Amino acid sequence: MSEPHSSPEEAPETPDPRDSTTLIDVRSYFVRERNALAVHASFERLYVDYYLHLMDQAVQYPPDLDLMLKDALAAVVLHATTRPWKETHAWTLNIPDPLANLFVTASSLGENVTGRVFTEGVRESDGGLFYAQVKVQNEEPRQSTTEIKGNGIFEAVEAFYQQSEQRRARIFELGDEEYFMISAQPDCDEEWLEALTTDAA
């Protein structure tokens, strides 16, 4: 049986999902004298893909929710980078004002991240809630729920670390689409971590 003939016009080449133009470089550093783990990345490529996808789907989020989703995407990538390999993280943030659910997920196995905003059928509550799930390959998922404190996504993630991870973490925006997260490790100098400023980061 002969194979069907195809030309480049008939069968366009599928882009490699690991093409260097779609990857972002996330770097982690152990701060030895302070016993802290620092993670840094520029999300420019991710955000370009994000907006191209929204255009393809004819979707436009309100500016405040758009910014929140971008921050959540950055935060879940930084978080996943600090964690052991073979984990998939899924976060749902129930935001009371504006009423919405933000969903983001990142996997170290597939080296991918995705997210979405939901504004219909969202449960109203007095305060926001942060639902976190982590799935390790071949194991049952673990879940936690914490209250969202403050108005920003990074504040919510920092509260999640404090309540669920039982350790301190700080997230800084260093410039346009460039973010830095530092989290406490055993015997961390927590006074230094608490006093850390964006310039020092």
Side-chain angles (χ1 to χ4, degrees):
M1 185 162 111
S2 63
E3 293 186 7
H5 171 74
S6 64
S7 68
E9 291 79 18
E10 294 170 342
E13 187 175 321
T14 303
D16 183 350
R18 295 177 52 84
D19 185 289
S20 61
T21 61
T22 64
L23 295 177
I24 59 173
D25 185 26
V26 186
R27 297 183 177 231
S28 60
Y29 308 88
F30 188 74
V31 187
R32 293 182 184 170
E33 286 89 21
R34 306 296 187 177
N35 288 336
L37 183 65
V39 186
H40 169 255
S42 170
F43 289 86
E44 181 180 1
R45 288 180 176 176
L46 176 65
Y47 294 158
V48 167
D49 284 347
Y50 164 78
Y51 283 119
L52 289 174
H53 179 73
L54 291 184
M55 287 175 56
D56 287 344
Q57 301 299 315
V59 173
Q60 185 172 7
Y61 296 133
D64 48 359
L65 292 176
D66 176 70
L67 178 60
M68 287 181 185
L69 181 57
K70 287 167 61 181
D71 285 350
L73 288 167
V76 76
V77 168
L78 296 175
H79 171 69
T81 304
T82 70
R83 299 290 304 165
W85 192 61
K86 295 189 177 180
E87 289 187 347
T88 299
H89 299 270
W91 293 349
T92 300
L93 290 82
N94 174 244
I95 308 295
D97 185 24
L99 185 62
N101 280 344
L102 305 180
F103 173 78
V104 292
T105 181
S107 169
S108 58
L109 284 171
E111 296 183 358
N112 50 37
V113 60
T114 189
R116 185 174 173 186
V117 174
F118 296 90
T119 55
E120 296 180 6
V122 178
R123 186 179 73 178
E124 295 188 45
S125 59
D126 294 335
L129 292 172
F130 190 126
Y131 302 93
Q133 183 181 83
V134 57
K135 176 75 170 71
V136 181
Q137 192 177 34
N138 302 322
E139 295 182 16
E140 289 296 314
R142 301 187 309 272
Q143 300 182 74
S144 67
T145 304
T146 57
E147 293 182 6
I148 291 179
K149 297 180 180 179
N151 298 320
I153 296 300
F154 297 149
E155 289 176 277
V157 174
E158 290 176 5
F160 158 72
Y161 263 81
Q162 195 83 12
Q163 297 173 49
S164 184
E165 297 281 308
Q166 299 292 302
R167 59 193 173 105
R168 190 71 169 101
R170 308 276 310 280
I171 302 178
F172 300 92
E173 184 173 0
L174 302 183
D176 289 341
E177 301 169 345
E178 185 179 357
Y179 300 92
F180 178 89
M181 184 175 88
I182 186 159
S183 56
Q185 304 301 300
D187 299 320
C188 176
D189 183 347
E190 294 195 7
E191 287 187 13
W192 166 82
L193 179 55
E194 197 65 43
L196 198 61
T197 63
T198 301
D199 287 342

